[in-house]
Amino acid sequence: MSRSLPPLTWFRAFEASARHLSFTAAADELGLTQSAISQHVRSLEMRFGVALFIRKPRGLAITDDGRKLLPKVGAALDTLTSVAETFDTGPASGVLTIAASVSVARWIIAPKLGAFLATQSGLRVRILSTIWPDDFRTPIADVEIRFGSDKQVGSGAVRLLPDTLIAVAAPGAQIPLHRQTLIEAVGVSEGWKSWAAKAKIEGLPEPAIRVDSYGLALELAANGAGVALTSSLLAQACLATGQVEQVHSVGLPSTEGYHLAANPKSEPALAFEAWLLTQLA
């Protein structure tokens, strides 16, 4: 009988944090936010039922359980890296390869891809739906849409706009915000508390639904589950088609956002970059 394993990103977050004894240093290495690293480690601790670190004001101390786990996780990651290098041949020749999260593929690329292909005779496209990519320093595609802060996503990546956080819900939600089911994405720097401070609204309830991406938050809102705080970039198509509506005029500038990096040696990649930036503008 097969057993469900924790996500690989949880193990990578633990291993990097254990080597550096710092969530911040681990975040810099893996190209994630500090809060995402902390969340991944906390999730692993909850899954195993043990504490892996002792949190201190200026860093971490690894516990006995953490020391037992570290060499096994390190060896497993080394093995996986070796296996991946055996099969990794880079972007496919003659094909425009686009790497993006499921959220970006669903809400940004999918509504616009047909129109782009209509301008590119005979072009083939391959989409890699990546979630929480671990290393932005090694390109895996001709076009990559990366999520993170300007510092984390690497040089040459262009931030996609708009990138504020907005509150959206299915059309017709007339209940006051204080009585709504709030939906929040975890692993990012800003949430409902930051948004409420910007909007000067007091007394909002704690989010009743927490998810791991802005895209899923948007999907839940569109299906009537509540009010989601999500990326205005992801919400563009959904707002335009009337699947959701913005329930408050305030938009909160976000620390992290979506960035596009295109291979400067690939004409189709540069064409896609120019076309998408024009569409979003």
Side-chain angles (χ1 to χ4, degrees), residues 4-26:
S4 174
L5 293 174
L8 179 61
T9 49
W10 294 5
F11 287 115
R12 289 183 64 88
F14 161 72
E15 191 273 340
S17 299
R19 280 190 288 106
H20 294 291
L21 293 180
S22 166
F23 288 151
T24 300

Side-chain angles (χ1 to χ4, degrees), residues 108-151:
I108 298 178
I109 296 177
K112 303 175 182 296
L113 186 60
F116 170 71
L117 289 176
T119 69
Q120 303 290 316
S121 177
L123 180 66
R124 293 179 296 154
V125 172
R126 177 188 178 206
I127 297 178
L128 305 176
S129 55
T130 58
I131 301 176
W132 298 112
D134 294 325
D135 183 6
F136 290 137
R137 293 167 295 184
T138 305
I140 62 173
D142 301 304
V143 175
E144 297 180 11
I145 299 182
R146 308 165 177 171
F147 181 82
S149 67
D150 294 345
K151 176 183 177 181

